[in-house]
Amino acid sequence: GAGVSQTPSNKVTEKGKYVELRCDPISGHTALYWYRQSLGQGPEFLIYFQGTGAADDSGLPNDRFFAVRPEGSVSTLKIQRTERGDSAVYLCASSLERTASPVGANVLTFGAGSRLTVL
Amino acid sequence: LAKTTQPISMDSYEGQEVNITCSHNNIATNDYITWYQQFPSQGPRFIIQGYKTKVTNEVASLFIPADRKSSTLSLPRVSLSDTAVYYCLVASYGSNYQLIWGAGTKLIIKP
């Protein structure tokens, strides 16, 4: 697509529920990132995909968080047993793959984010 | 991973040139410096990147001294629509690739 698309734009859920956030990256971008952003803070790295595999998941806060990218395009961030502290804007970004374009890989295109509110 | 330090906030006026300086003392040889802009309720948007000396595009200029321990983003003739948060990052090449984001610089442009 023309840009990075994230759905839903807003999600309100109750504590303990399961949520899925979807990211549709730019066509041809093999690198995909998930970030989390709280009010007044910079984005916090969660996970980085290179193709279908998670190249770096060191930012996932605990085992309630999981992300997949089964066909190397669309990615889903899954949060189990949500807690109030999970409330944030979840940002997805995509870029060219590093070995194909080392400089282009630094140019991340972000979606508008999914705002998650856990009551 | 190179950590960056930049001012928390800055004010300026329409038509002025704004310079935002970022320090990145432990930048590595192969690292690039990148800057992003973020408006409320939007994801960050790439502005410019550079390795050394000066880079200019249609939006901004980036000045990087020889030691590369700092960089300055220059926005010429700002307008009210340039009010945003600006992030300086170092893109580190390693076995794992991460961009470490600080809190950014909140730039407010006044009429």
Side-chain angles (χ1 to χ4, degrees), chain A residues 3-76:
Chain A
V4 177
S5 176
Q6 291 189 246
T7 55
S9 56
N10 277 287
K11 176 70 176 178
V12 180
T13 190
E14 293 179 343
K15 181 175 178 292
K17 299 291 188 182
Y18 169 82
V19 299
E20 289 190 352
L21 306 176
R22 175 189 166 105
C23 173
D24 197 345
I26 289 176
S27 178
H29 279 188
T30 55
L32 185 145
Y33 302 80
W34 283 100
Y35 288 86
R36 177 169 70 174
Q37 187 172 31
S38 299
L39 191 64
Q41 303 296 315
E44 173 193 5
F45 172 79
L46 296 177
I47 188 168
Y48 159 56
F49 284 92
Q50 193 55 266
T52 60
D56 183 354
D57 64 358
S58 62
L60 294 177
N62 51 59
D63 61 6
R64 294 186 298 105
F65 288 75
F66 189 71
V68 295
R69 195 185 184 198
E71 297 178 356
S73 178
V74 171
S75 176
T76 304

Side-chain angles (χ1 to χ4, degrees), chain A residues 32 52 89 94 117:
Chain A
L32 185 145
T52 60
V89 175
S94 69
T117 303

Side-chain angles (χ1 to χ4, degrees), chain B residues 11-65:
Chain B
D11 291 352
S12 188
Y13 293 89
E14 281 191 294
Q16 299 295 305
E17 177 184 83
V18 171
N19 296 310
I20 306 174
T21 297
C22 175
S23 66
H24 26 78
N25 291 319
N26 58 337
I27 190 169
T29 301
N30 294 327
D31 290 347
Y32 272 72
I33 298 149
T34 62
W35 285 79
Y36 285 77
Q37 174 192 56
Q38 186 175 27
F39 297 114
S41 301
Q42 295 186 24
R45 182 177 74 105
F46 173 85
I47 301 175
I48 196 167
Q49 72 171 323
Y51 182 78
K52 61 181 179 180
T53 62
K54 176 183 175 182
V55 179
T56 297
N57 62 22
E58 64 278 4
V59 177
S61 294
L62 179 59
F63 298 91
I64 305 168

Side-chain angles (χ1 to χ4, degrees), chain B residues 74-111:
Chain B
S74 181
L75 304 172
R77 297 178 300 281
V78 293
S79 64
L80 295 177
S81 63
D82 291 315
T83 294
V85 178
Y86 292 82
Y87 295 96
C88 164
L89 299 94
V90 171
S92 293
Y93 290 73
S95 58
N96 290 328
Y97 174 63
Q98 288 190 24
L99 292 174
I100 305 299
W101 299 70
T105 297
K106 184 173 177 60
L107 175 65
I108 298 174
I109 305 301
K110 302 175 182 178

